[in-house]
Every structure is written in structure tokens, then in C-alpha cells.
Amino acid sequence: MRILFTTLFFAFLTALASAADMGRSVVQVLVYSQTPIWDAPWRNNPVAGSSGTGFVIDGDRVMTNAHVVSWAKQIVLRRFQDPRPWLARVEYISHECDLAVLKVDTPGFFDGLKPLPLGGLPKVQSTVVTCGYPAGGEQISYTRGVVSRIEMQNYVHIGNRAFLSVQTDAAINPGNSGGPVFQGDEVVGIAFMGTPGLENTGFFIPSAVINHFLEDVSDGKYDGFPKAGVRIVSLQNPAYRRYLGLPVTGDGARIDSLADYTEKAGLLKKDDVILAVGEHPVGSDGTILLEGNRVYCTTAFQVPQKGEKLKLKIWRDNKEVDVAVPMEVRDDDINIGNLYDAPPRYFVFAGLVFTPLTLDYVKTFGRNWRGVANSEMIYELYYRRNETPAKVRKEPVVLATTLAHPVNADMRLASRAMIDTINGKRIETLEDVIAAFEENTKPQHMIQFISGTVECLDNTRAELANPEILSTYGIQTDRRL
Amino acid sequence: MKIKTPLILASCIFATASAVFSQDAPEPDWQASIVTFDITRNNFNFRIPWDKRAQTAAKLGTVIEGNEILTTAQGLANRTLVRLQKGGRGKWYNGSVEWVDYQANLAVVAVSDPAFWVGLAPVRFAHANELKRNLQIVRWRGGNIERRAAEFSRFSVADANFNQAPRIEMKASSEMEGAGRGELMVSGGRVVGLVASKSGSTCSVIPAPFITSILEKRASDDYRGLGFFDFVWQPVSNPATTKYFEFSGQTGGVLLIKPSTRPGTKSPLKLHDIILEIDGYPIDIQGDYLDPDYGHVIMEYLACRKKWGATLLNSKSGGTVRNRKSITFCRRLISQKTSSSTAPLARNPPT
């Protein structure tokens, strides 16, 4: 027993020494950023300062988290034990997997800095060391912990995508984000999030996700993670397995529903049973065995790049079928995730502020936005796409607010309402709103909301009021498209 | 200081006369008209639907004509035993619920034991013009009659307990603790209503005219539940909207934005019809009408005001109605051409 402790102690010292040596390639990322105000989309919040961590990778680049540099107005890097600030810029960014690659144009920044090599997936219970510039001090900080578990986790930066994630009890605090997680001489992940209310629960992005991102951008542009457009559920009900002609205790998880585009492609069908994804057999609970860890099979769905094919072994009509599914990047659910870098689109007419319906907009209702947003909004945002895909609008538009003025003072429904038609034109996008107003020659404009409520505006008075309203409320331009 | 005796005398006579003539009837002995209920009911667990627990509830009722007791419908669902006590103490008698309408929140209970009725007297209900003054809430408490003053606030139309059928409510404030279990609200010698609930110091009272009209319909076996409009409308206070729909010459009216919300219903009303009047009552731009009993209230109440689920038949242009009684009648104005049609009235049959 004493020998075991001695061995573990030396292994720990070796790990820390190795991490400390590689810590020279770890940089502090200081950011000034400015986020938009989604219900007053011509305005921004005040510029705020924040900090994170990054590390040098191949190609004279710095890797960090996307959330560290989102909405950045200025990015400054500080090297290990070097007081000089170095201006950086974002070269590639993936908000879905919360990763970004930075470039430093000033010569000399990378002098003496070794790119850190990426390793593989660490084993559960193995020791890792996080490294970065967390809050509480100025100097680089190292903390040791073990890998607690490995599984799919929702990435909070985007909010609506899940990727493989590694949980550790090593401290991951504000400022650690973007910092490397070492195991031996290799980076096995990037620290990126914690769980409020839980202690010693930090998460890092494993190298599989990092490598997918780096391979994606190797052609000079970021495409994103493709999706298969299927919902997979466990298949452990013996009666259901018999119904599908499968042995009661065998493998395979069932496709429960398909996205509209997957259904149209016709390669996959509801009640198909996925027996294997690539080389990984799929268990009846929907998991695969990945380097000794049981993780959800969608992990393997995230391996192909855009345009590549995903090989599936399917059980359909009582026989095995091999299917190669072309994997494409989809943005159909972009508005139910957090949006970054592109300021919100809007159009102001007669004091009526129109903007696309997005999660960021409804979150302006407060923490209890789910209880505040009306049912039409929630349905349009989350359910329409699945329940009535033929009626999906490309960009549902909402009347965000109304800037008070005599021309609109008689409107009863003046904010937080979904637009159905304007002057009889069905509103599919924000551009439709503009066209509907501009093309109308009748004395009144008629706005019909999805709830059925109708409001009208006097055409001539609205045109005359526009410049005054923009001036009164300090709006530079009536639209951002 | 000179005392002006004739003036004081005249004042006393006037005050006495006012006190006498301000009440329509002598104050009755409420002890003979208010009874106490003890209800045992099954409280079902809807997650484990075979599981149920016995629950008891206490409330109040009042004696009405025909040896029956009137109370609110609250607490009577899934009942297993209904017992009544008169005089605030003594023997309990078994009762049976003869009629209940959960939407109207009214129930009638019978007691078969003749001994129960000895000494009890039916109450008289107030008319519509007697609802607002000298209000008191009366109930049994601890074996004694408790009376507390109440003050009229307003009439409003609220959704029924279990669906969208509208019913009229009288709001009144009172400091009586724990009211809302069928206590009587009285004025002078008449019952103004039953207290159905209380929030803070505000009591919701089922007004007497609503109760009496339902009881009359029940007596004639013609009560078929409260009605409600199956269309959705919006106020039209925006002048641009009135211009757009070309009815700016009208002084009132609301815009129909969903002709029917019931599947399978063919409504004679069309999208964007303007509802100018219902049953002869002009509708203002807020959707209110002037009710002869309750003042300005929302037009939804016209769906059940003295109708109780009357079957509606077609009307021809010009407004001929064929139903023998209350008809919902809407004039449709489109492009300044007036036409007429009837609107359907959905029924909520009493339970």
C-alpha cells in the first residue's frame, strides 16, 4: 500500500511539473465586448471587460473558448510572465462547440512559445491538471483533479447543442475558460463550463470535438457540425422489440422521429433501428462504447465533416440494411440557440419595432421568460417545425415593442406579438415586413397578428411620423438587415 | 342659546321615517333561514386514479320556497354524504342534492325528514335595484348568527368554474373572516346573493337576480346550462382600424377575429365582421354593453343573460328571429352594407 501511495505521489508531482513547463504556452485573454439589446435592437449594452485563457497550437495560433471572445470589440493577449499586451483577432469561431482560434498579427508574439500537442480521450478516474488565469489572482494557476465521467452534455454557450464533454473535479472558475487541461505532456481538453450550485463539477471539451473543429477550418472556412436530423430513443421494451422482429435482449435503438429534411431525403424512416454507427454497435439504450466509456450514440454522429457520409447499420422490415447518410450542416434551429456576433436584424416603422423571433429576444422577458412569452411565440419557436413543417416561416417576425408616438397611440396590442400578415401579405421574413409596408397604397396599413388580433395605422401619418420617431428615440437607421 | 324645538322635532320625525321606509321589508329572523352543511366527499388522486381519500367540508345554505335548500356547488363534487343542521346546533339531517350546476355554481338540496323543516322559513331574494346598499353578510358561527357589514364594489363578468361560460359576479368588500362558503349577503329583509369566494377583503357574490332567473328556469324544467359565445372578438378603439373596416360612422362595435373556436361548427359569422349589437343591446368599442341590472359589463354576459342555452335559429336579413325567446342577434356590417345574421350559442348542460 505504501508503495502505491509513493508511486501515485510521484506521478502527481510529474504531472504538475509537466503542466508547469507547458504553462509557458498558456496565455491570458483579456476582452472588451459589447452585447446587443435584443428588444431594442438598435442599441447595445455598455462595453464590458472580461478575461479568459488560451494556449498556443500549431500554425502560430491561439486556441480558446468562443464564449471568451464573443461580441469582442478588442482582444488582448498576455503571455506567461510577460507584461506586454498583444492585440489578437478571431480567425475562426464555432459557437456551437464553444471554440475559437485567434491570430496575433504583431511579430514576436509566438517567439519562444511551443505549440501544445493534443492528446486523446482521458480515462475516467485518471488525473488531469487544469491551467489558466482564473479569478482571484493575476498569475497562472494550476489545479489537479480526476476525470469524473465522460458523456454528452448540453453546451451552454449555444444552449441547444450537445457534444461529448468530460467532467472533472479540478477547479474550473471564471477566467479558466479556454485554458488547456493537461494529462502528461498533452492537452486532453479545454476547460469551458461549470454547473451552478454544484461543487467540484467542471467540464472540459475533449480533443475529439477540438480536432473536428480544427479539421473543419483547415480549408479556410468554418462549416459546422452536420446533423442527421433524427431523434433516437432506447428500445428496451420487449414487446416493441418483438413487434419490430428483434430479439428481446439484443442491441439497437429506435428512430422515434425525423426532421422534415431527413424525412424528405427518404434514407431513414421512423421505427428504423440503429444497430451500429460506423464501427460502433449501438446498445438498446442508445449508447455506444467509446474508449471504455458508454456514451450516447449521437457522439458518433458528430464524427463526419460536412458532406461526408455517416455509415449506419439499420434494422428495417425484419432485415439488416446498410445506409450511408450524407451529413449536412443545418441552421433550421439557429434561432432557438443563443446567437452571437451578428447584431439583431430589425425594422422600425411608425414606431413599431419588428425583429425576428429568437431565443435571445424572448429571454429579454426575464428569467421567467417561459412563463411570460405567449403561447404563439413558444409554439412558433419550438413546436411548429416538428408539428406542421409545411407552415414553418423562414424567419418568424415579432412586434418587439412600440415606441410611443401619436401615430401609434391607439394601438392596443403594441409589443411581444407574433406577426401573421401585413396588408394581406404573409410575413415569412423581416424583408416581407418592409415590402408589405412599402408596397401598400391603401389609406391604412393593416397588421394581423397570429393570435388573430388586428391593428391598423394611418398610411400617410405613419410615413410622416417615421423621421420624427427615429430622431426622438435616437435610432440611426430604420433597419438592419 | 335658544333651542329650536320644532326643528329638532321635525328632524327626529324625518329620521325615523327614513329608517322605516329605507327597508322594503321587516328584517327576517335569519336563524330560521340559514342552515349549515357538512359534506363528506371523495378526493380522487388523478395520478393514481383508483386511490381516493375522504374529505369533509363545511358550508352554508339557505332555505328557499318548496322546502329546498340553496347553496353553492362548490364542494359537492364526488360527494358521499350530505348532512344539514338548522339553528346552528343540534341534530344533523341527511340531505340529497336534487340539482347542481357547477358552471353557475349553484345547487339545490332536499331533506326528506319533515322534522327538519319545522321552524324554517324561505328567504326572499332582492331585485336588481336592491343590490348595492346596506349590505351585510350573515352566517352561523359557533352556534350563533354572525353579521358583518359589506360594501358594494362593482359587477363583473367572470369565467365559470370549469369552462369559459360567463357568469355575473358582484364584488363587495367585507372583513368577515373565512367567508366564501355560501354565506348569505343580505340587504334589509332580502337576500342579495351567496358569497362564493373571498380574496383579501373582496367577496365574490352570486347576485340574486342571477340566482332567481336560474331557479325559475329550473322550476319550469327549462334550464339547460349557461351559454357562451364561440367566437373571439377584439375591441376596436383604434380609429385607423375603424377606418380600415369602413365603419367609422358607427359609435360602437367590436371586431370578430375568430368566427368559431369549436371544431365542426359552421358559424354564420365571418372573419372581421363587426358586431354592433347583440340581443338589441348596443356594443361599445370596448366590448361592453349597458345591462339594465348590472350597468356596464362585458358583452360576453349576453351569451347567457336570461338565455340558459336557448336554441338559436336563423334570422333573415332585417332581423326576423324565429326563436320564441332570447336570441343572440348580431348585425354584420361590411363595406357599409348592413346585413343580419344570428350567432350560435353553445350550451353547457347542467351536471
Side-chain angles (χ1 to χ4, degrees):
Chain A
M1 182 65 78
R2 183 177 296 170
I3 294 171
L4 179 61
F5 276 135
T6 307
T7 307
L8 285 174
F9 181 67
F10 277 108
F12 164 58
L13 287 182
T14 306
L16 271 187
S18 176
D21 185 45
M22 294 195 294
R24 294 181 180 282
S25 296
V26 178
V27 299
Q28 187 176 22
V29 185
L30 301 167
V31 178
Y32 285 100
S33 59
Q34 192 173 32
T35 54
I37 299 173
W38 293 87
D39 57 350
W42 63 93
R43 291 172 53 209
N44 289 306
N45 288 306
V47 174
S50 60
S51 75
T53 304
F55 62 96
V56 177
I57 59 171
D58 279 335
D60 284 351
R61 297 178 295 177
V62 171
M63 174 70 85
T64 186
N65 280 143
H67 75 259
V68 171
V69 293
S70 295
W71 301 110
K73 295 283 186 188
Q74 184 190 68
I75 303 169
V76 172
L77 304 185
R78 286 191 188 278
R79 308 197 319 169
F80 178 70
Q81 303 288 6
D82 181 349
R84 291 174 294 171
W86 301 80
L87 278 176
R89 60 180 170 82
V90 174
E91 187 179 37
Y92 301 108
I93 191 163
S94 167
H95 292 292
E96 54 186 339
C97 68
D98 200 359
L99 291 171
V101 169
L102 310 181
K103 288 292 282 185
V104 180
D105 295 324
T106 311
F109 175 80
F110 291 99
D111 292 351
L113 302 184
K114 292 179 184 173
L116 300 180
L118 290 174
L121 190 66
K123 303 288 185 202
V124 172
Q125 296 187 58
S126 64
T127 302
V128 291
V129 175
T130 63
C131 176
Y133 292 87
E138 296 293 321
Q139 299 302 313
I140 196 165
S141 164
Y142 301 90
T143 56
R144 183 183 65 93
V146 296
V147 173
S148 307
R149 54 184 161 189
I150 299 170
E151 60 186 4
M152 297 289 279
Q153 287 281 348
N154 191 44
Y155 277 30
V156 293
H157 177 60
I158 189 75
N160 66 335
R161 294 297 302 271
F163 295 97
L164 197 61
S165 178
V166 182
Q167 183 185 323
T168 177
D169 64 349
I172 293 177
N173 292 308
N176 266 119
S177 288
V181 179
F182 294 115
Q183 188 164 67
D185 296 333
E186 295 177 325
V187 175
V188 293
I190 296 175
F192 80 123
M193 67 179 188
T195 304
L198 296 182
E199 291 182 2
N200 304 325
T201 308
F203 296 91
F204 62 85
I205 302 169
S207 50
V209 178
I210 302 169
N211 282 326
H212 191 285
F213 169 64
L214 291 174
E215 187 184 335
D216 183 340
V217 301
S218 62
D219 61 355
K221 67 182 177 66
Y222 175 68
D223 295 313
F225 284 78
K227 292 193 294 187
V230 293
R231 191 173 82 139
I232 301 163
V233 297
S234 64
L235 185 56
Q236 296 182 320
N237 180 335
Y240 211 139
R241 294 190 69 91
R242 283 191 210 100
Y243 167 74
L244 294 172
L246 283 164
V248 168
T249 57
D251 281 345
R254 187 174 67 86
I255 293 179
D256 183 53
S257 63
L258 299 95
D260 187 38
Y261 52 82
T262 308
E263 196 159 3
K264 283 178 182 165
L267 285 171
L268 297 173
K269 298 179 187 304
K270 187 181 177 185
D271 270 350
D272 278 355
V273 178
I274 302 178
L275 300 173
V277 184
E279 303 302 318
H280 301 286
V282 177
S284 59
D285 62 349
T287 63
I288 60 171
L289 194 60
L290 182 71
E291 298 185 29
N293 305 288
R294 291 235 53 113
V295 296
Y296 207 60
C297 65
T298 45
T299 308
F301 280 68
Q302 293 167 348
V303 172
Q305 294 286 349
K306 178 191 174 188
E308 293 180 351
K309 289 188 174 177
L310 176 72
K311 291 182 179 175
L312 298 176
K313 191 179 288 296
I314 299 288
W315 180 262
R316 180 188 297 161
D317 298 334
N318 291 305
K319 59 178 183 290
E320 285 187 15
V321 183
D322 289 318
V323 179
V325 181
M327 297 294 281
E328 295 299 332
V329 175
R330 309 281 178 178
D331 65 353
D332 55 309
D333 60 352
I334 187 171
N335 282 350
I336 56 172
N338 300 311
L339 296 171
Y340 296 98
D341 295 338
R345 287 154 51 83
Y346 72 88
F347 175 59
V348 180
F349 182 79
L352 278 59
V353 181
F354 299 94
T355 192
L357 176 68
T358 61
L359 177 67
D360 287 293
Y361 168 71
V362 296
K363 284 200 298 190
T364 63
F365 301 171
R367 292 182 67 180
N368 185 33
W369 61 266
R370 287 178 181 83
V372 176
N374 58 48
S375 56
E376 291 96 5
M377 249 178 227
I378 297 294
Y379 184 82
E380 207 68 33
L381 204 54
Y382 289 103
Y383 302 111
R384 170 82 71 194
R385 189 172 44 256
N386 297 319
E387 294 198 351
T388 52
K391 293 181 179 176
V392 168
R393 295 167 202 254
K394 187 178 176 187
E395 182 186 56
V397 174
V398 63
L399 173 61
T401 187
T402 295
L403 308 171
H405 183 273
V407 76
N408 56 43
D410 290 309
M411 285 185 61
R412 289 172 55 89
L413 185 56
S415 68
R416 299 180 178 180
M418 297 291 309
I419 306 296
D420 185 13
T421 65
I422 295 177
N423 296 321
K425 183 184 182 74
R426 180 179 155 92
I427 302 303
E428 297 282 343
T429 64
L430 194 62
E431 282 76 4
D432 289 338
V433 175
I434 298 169
F437 281 122
E438 290 181 347
E439 292 166 6
N440 181 41
T441 55
K442 292 180 181 172
Q444 289 84 31
H445 296 293
M446 198 270 264
I447 305 160
Q448 182 157 328
F449 299 90
I450 284 183
S451 63
T453 301
V454 170
E455 291 290 354
C456 293
L457 286 167
D458 187 273
N459 194 341
T460 308
R461 287 183 66 208
E463 288 295 336
L464 293 172
N466 273 330
E468 185 186 339
I469 291 171
L470 296 179
S471 171
T472 301
Y473 288 90
I475 304 171
Q476 296 281 331
T477 173
D478 69 346
R479 67 194 73 184
R480 184 194 290 130
L481 302 174
Chain B
M1 180 182 288
K2 289 184 179 177
I3 299 173
K4 297 179 178 177
T5 308
L7 184 61
I8 293 173
L9 193 61
S11 301
C12 289
I13 292 168
F14 179 75
T16 308
S18 299
V20 169
F21 292 110
S22 65
Q23 296 180 356
D24 294 333
E27 183 81 359
D29 179 10
W30 295 113
Q31 297 190 39
S33 299
I34 303 176
V35 299
T36 310
F37 275 90
D38 182 71
I39 299 159
T40 307
R41 58 189 295 268
N42 280 326
N43 193 11
F44 287 95
N45 183 339
F46 282 74
R47 286 185 64 190
I48 315 169
W50 57 90
D51 183 39
K52 59 187 177 184
R53 291 181 184 183
Q55 190 181 49
T56 59
K59 60 187 299 187
L60 297 138
T62 185
V63 180
I64 57 174
E65 296 288 352
N67 279 4
E68 289 182 319
I69 305 294
L70 176 75
T71 185
T72 57
Q74 289 160 323
L76 290 175
N78 305 317
R79 62 194 172 272
T80 56
L81 179 63
V82 177
R83 308 191 79 205
L84 299 93
Q85 184 189 57
K86 61 177 180 175
R89 64 190 71 236
K91 183 182 175 182
W92 288 89
Y93 298 83
N94 289 344
S96 60
V97 175
E98 296 296 301
W99 174 89
V100 62
D101 184 356
Y102 294 102
Q103 280 72 47
N105 195 16
L106 290 172
V108 172
V109 178
V111 178
S112 57
D113 189 341
F116 175 77
W117 299 104
V118 176
L120 292 181
V123 295
R124 289 184 302 158
F125 287 99
H127 300 296
N129 59 354
E130 300 172 315
L131 303 178
K132 299 180 181 178
R133 286 176 297 176
N134 304 322
L135 301 180
Q136 286 195 321
I137 301 177
V138 190
R139 70 177 175 188
W140 283 113
R141 190 177 192 190
N144 296 294
I145 284 286
E146 181 187 14
R147 303 174 71 133
R148 293 295 290 266
E151 190 173 355
F152 173 81
S153 174
R154 67 186 191 280
F155 289 106
S156 68
V157 175
D159 284 349
N161 287 347
F162 303 108
N163 67 7
Q164 55 198 234
R167 60 186 167 85
I168 195 81
E169 276 186 346
M170 189 175 99
K171 299 287 187 185
S173 59
S174 172
E175 296 305 315
M176 178 176 272
E177 288 180 11
R181 297 180 295 126
E183 295 87 351
L184 293 194
M185 180 165 280
V186 302
S187 175
R190 294 182 185 271
V191 173
V192 165
L194 297 184
V195 183
S197 64
K198 184 167 181 257
S199 175
S201 62
T202 303
C203 298
S204 292
V205 182
I206 306 170
F210 181 85
I211 294 171
T212 49
S213 53
I214 287 182
L215 292 179
E216 284 167 10
K217 283 286 179 185
R218 175 186 169 249
S220 59
D221 200 22
D222 195 24
Y223 179 68
R224 285 174 282 171
L226 301 182
F228 65 94
F229 291 135
D230 68 348
F231 52 80
V232 181
W233 55 271
Q234 71 165 72
V236 196
S237 53
N238 182 345
T241 306
T242 59
K243 283 181 197 164
Y244 181 87
F245 289 102
E246 299 180 15
F247 72 110
S248 51
Q250 302 294 326
T251 55
V254 294
L255 183 66
L256 193 117
I257 56 175
K258 283 185 183 171
S260 175
T261 54
R262 290 187 299 151
T265 304
K266 189 176 182 183
S267 172
L269 296 176
K270 293 182 179 176
L271 182 68
H272 297 163
D273 280 359
I274 304 295
I275 300 171
L276 297 173
E277 63 176 58
I278 299 174
D279 246 357
Y281 293 101
I283 307 300
D284 69 20
I285 58 173
Q286 299 292 330
D288 292 343
Y289 76 100
L290 184 59
D291 189 283
D293 294 339
Y294 307 117
H296 280 102
V297 291
I298 198 162
M299 62 178 250
E300 298 292 339
Y301 186 59
L302 285 170
C304 69
R305 186 182 186 278
K306 298 183 179 178
K307 288 185 181 56
W308 328 124
T311 303
L312 298 176
L313 302 176
N314 292 330
S315 69
K316 294 177 181 175
S317 180
T320 304
V321 289
R322 296 201 304 242
N323 192 26
R324 57 192 165 87
K325 289 182 181 172
S326 306
I327 294 294
T328 298
F329 181 74
C330 302
R331 272 195 284 161
R332 193 168 76 224
L333 181 69
I334 301 172
S335 301
Q336 295 185 330
K337 292 177 183 174
T338 305
S339 61
S340 301
S341 75
T342 53
L345 189 66
R347 285 190 296 126
N348 296 299
T351 307

